[in-house]
Amino acid sequence: MSPPERRLRERIERDGPIPVADYMAEANAHYYATRDPLGRGGDFITAPEISQMFGELIGLWLADLWQRAGAPADVVYVELGPGRGTLAADVLRAMKAAGLMPPVHFVETSPTLRQAQAERVPGAQWHDDLGELPDDRPLLVVANEFFDALPIRQFAADGRELRVTAGDGGFARDGEVETETSPASIDVMRALAARLARQGGAALVIDYGYDRPGRGDTLQAVSDHAYADPWTEPGSRDLTAHVDFHALAGAARNAGARVAGPTGQGEWLDAMGIAVRAAALARSAPDRTEEIEAARRRLTAPEQMGRLFRAMAILAPGWPDPAGFAP
Ligand code: SAH
């Protein structure tokens, strides 16, 4: 039996059934701490692992905002859950071309992924949570597929919180899901937005999720690029839930920040000029033209990542309107 499975079973035996959020937190802490889940050899692929264009356009977006905000000299780049560091490397390269070379701060709990990040982004500083970030200067923040990994609570139609029980083969949930919330995500967003409001800066959050509060169960497990059972082998597969952008936007506004979007990842990348970037890349590497075009389609097509993935910006009150979002 794996360590997280043993810990969960012991706790349930001692205290009785536990909230879904506690199960998810225990499973994911072990999952991310013990492996690099990204890429072909892992469990899932993220946008920056599909193409450098994704991070480059985010870098241009940040550099443009920064310039129009008066190019404050003391900004820092912050990424939440930076994975392998691929996204940061692409963002930083594009920002550098635009004259912006900020110090880098990563919020990352996994020792394994911190190591991967250090190889791609030398000189970065790491933090376990947002509370440790610099508190006296503007922040340029990116979070791609970060919020979906944070724990959710699930509730039955009568408002009762659903709990997880232990059985012979695995675990089970004690009822039908009607609604779900992610207090952990709300806490992170509230802290982030309060900092932007106080310190200046902007954040771009991209993830799969919904713009309007929905119903039902979005908890899912992914292993080896396929859906898996969330209730067996906790800690060996990635547990995620769809992100409630409506709730995140509300938390950001309540904390004093402005919000733009959410909009589809595809619409945002199109507006940021991904077609032009793809054409430029293909000109400099003609033998890769098909691969570049396939990556562009995968990131933007509505039936692929273009619609389910949403992009949302959070801005300090005095910062300019961001590119790529309808006013
Ligand atoms: N942004 C990357 C990786 C997404 S995977 C990409 O787009 O490729 C999720 C990332 O969030 C991993 O780096 C994981 O270790 C990190 N993570 C998950 N839960 C976390 C938490 N509670 N605190 C900080 N980082 C967390």
Side-chain angles (χ1 to χ4, degrees):
M1 199 182 293
S2 70
E5 176 152 8
R6 185 163 27 75
R7 279 196 294 274
L8 285 163
R9 283 184 180 279
E10 280 169 6
R11 192 177 147 199
I12 292 168
E13 209 163 291
R14 195 180 63 232
D15 303 341
I18 59 170
V20 170
D22 294 15
Y23 176 86
M24 191 173 171
E26 178 79 45
N28 272 356
H30 181 83
Y31 176 79
Y32 284 108
T34 51
R35 76 206 70 211
D36 172 357
L38 293 146
R40 262 175 252 289
D43 289 326
F44 58 93
I45 288 190
T46 55
E49 304 296 334
I50 291 170
S51 169
Q52 69 189 76
M53 295 186 286
F54 183 76
E56 288 170 347
L57 293 172
I58 293 174
L60 288 179
W61 183 86
L62 288 171
D64 166 64
L65 259 178
W66 169 76
Q67 251 150 15
R68 289 188 290 118
D74 55 352
V75 285
V76 302
Y77 177 72
V78 175
E79 212 179 302
L80 312 183
R84 285 178 168 171
T86 308
L87 175 55
D90 294 338
V91 167
L92 293 166
R93 192 177 59 252
M95 290 198 305
K96 187 174 178 186
L100 174 55
M101 283 174 282
V104 177
H105 290 259
F106 287 152
V107 175
E108 173 63 70
T109 41
S110 161
T112 309
L113 287 172
R114 280 187 180 199
Q115 213 167 346
Q117 291 154 19
E119 281 166 29
R120 285 172 185 80
V121 185
Q125 291 183 59
W126 283 268
H127 309 282
D128 285 327
D129 62 67
L130 251 69
E132 301 167 7
L133 291 171
D135 60 5
D136 59 349
R137 56 202 62 204
L139 308 175
L140 300 175
V141 185
V142 175
N144 185 61
E145 289 208 41
F146 170 74
F147 284 96
D148 66 72
L150 300 186
I152 54 160
R153 297 173 68 183
Q154 297 188 312
F155 300 88
D158 63 4
R160 183 178 60 90
E161 178 160 18
L162 297 181
R163 293 178 171 266
V164 179
T165 61
D168 283 347
F171 297 81
R173 193 172 39 198
D174 67 354
E176 283 281 308
V177 179
E178 174 73 9
T179 57
E180 53 187 37
T181 62
S182 178
S185 298
I186 298 295
D187 285 351
V188 169
M189 180 52 86
R190 191 181 293 134
L192 176 61
R195 276 172 173 273
L196 294 176
R198 202 172 54 239
Q199 299 172 217
L204 185 66
V205 173
I206 301 183
D207 223 310
Y208 46 98
Y210 42 90
D211 296 0
R212 294 269 138 218
R215 272 159 195 275
D217 180 20
T218 73
L219 182 71
Q220 63 186 33
V222 166
S223 179
D224 199 11
H225 303 276
Y227 290 112
D229 180 0
W231 306 113
T232 54
E233 294 179 43
S236 76
R237 43 196 68 174
D238 185 36
L239 293 185
T240 67
H242 285 204
V243 171
D244 182 347
F245 279 94
H246 182 77
L248 289 187
R253 289 195 181 97
N254 283 339
R258 290 194 299 129
V259 174
T263 188
Q265 171 176 298
E267 284 175 309
W268 187 79
L269 288 170
D270 283 341
M272 287 301 299
I274 192 171
V276 175
R277 185 69 192 123
L281 284 177
R283 267 197 308 280
S284 59
D287 52 319
R288 289 183 51 220
T289 301
E290 254 174 66
E291 176 196 327
I292 293 162
E293 182 50 22
R296 188 194 64 76
R297 267 201 314 277
R298 187 161 170 199
L299 293 173
T300 60
E303 71 281 9
Q304 300 200 46
M305 294 175 76
R307 187 178 346 211
L308 176 61
F309 281 76
R310 318 299 294 167
M312 186 170 85
I314 301 97
L315 304 140
W319 275 50
D321 288 334
F325 294 91

